Amino acid sequence: MLAGSNIFMNLAWYGHLKEPNKALWMAVLGSWALAFCEYCLAVPANRIGSKAYSLAQLKTMQEVFSLAGFVLVAWALFGQKPGLAQLAGFVLIVAGAALIFKGN
């Protein structure tokens, strides 16, 4: 559920860029609708997850899923594949996230 919520959120943040000529108010309303779907997944995911994970671990998972969702949305909607430098940066972020789970 947490991974799915991040797909919705990335679509809310970046999807409207596919149609830059649409009125800003329409982009905002469309993004809010997607964000509502994101919350419908994120809130129960965090409630369920808090029984097994610390808040730091939940936030870390959310950030990693957000990054993965961003890569998917950028690639699928805009054809922007991550380059080697970006991939290396993402690997470092994931390595940092792994430290959160080692500490508990």
Side-chain angles (χ1 to χ4, degrees), residues 7-58:
I7 295 294
F8 277 111
M9 204 63 223
N10 275 283
L11 287 171
W13 288 334
Y14 304 110
H16 63 89
L17 297 176
K18 285 293 285 184
E19 299 185 46
N21 295 326
K22 276 198 172 179
L24 184 57
W25 68 269
M26 290 177 70
V28 169
L29 287 178
S31 291
W32 280 354
L34 288 167
F36 176 76
C37 295
E38 183 265 342
Y39 273 81
C40 287
L41 292 172
V43 170
N46 282 307
R47 284 227 176 166
I48 294 166
S50 69
K51 294 176 180 147
Y53 299 103
S54 71
L55 292 179
Q57 289 172 328
L58 284 171

Side-chain angles (χ1 to χ4, degrees), residues 67-68 70-72 74-76 79-90:
L67 184 57
F70 168 76
V71 170
L72 290 173
W75 196 340
Q80 295 185 8
K81 298 176 186 176
L84 288 177
Q86 290 171 327
L87 288 173
F90 296 159

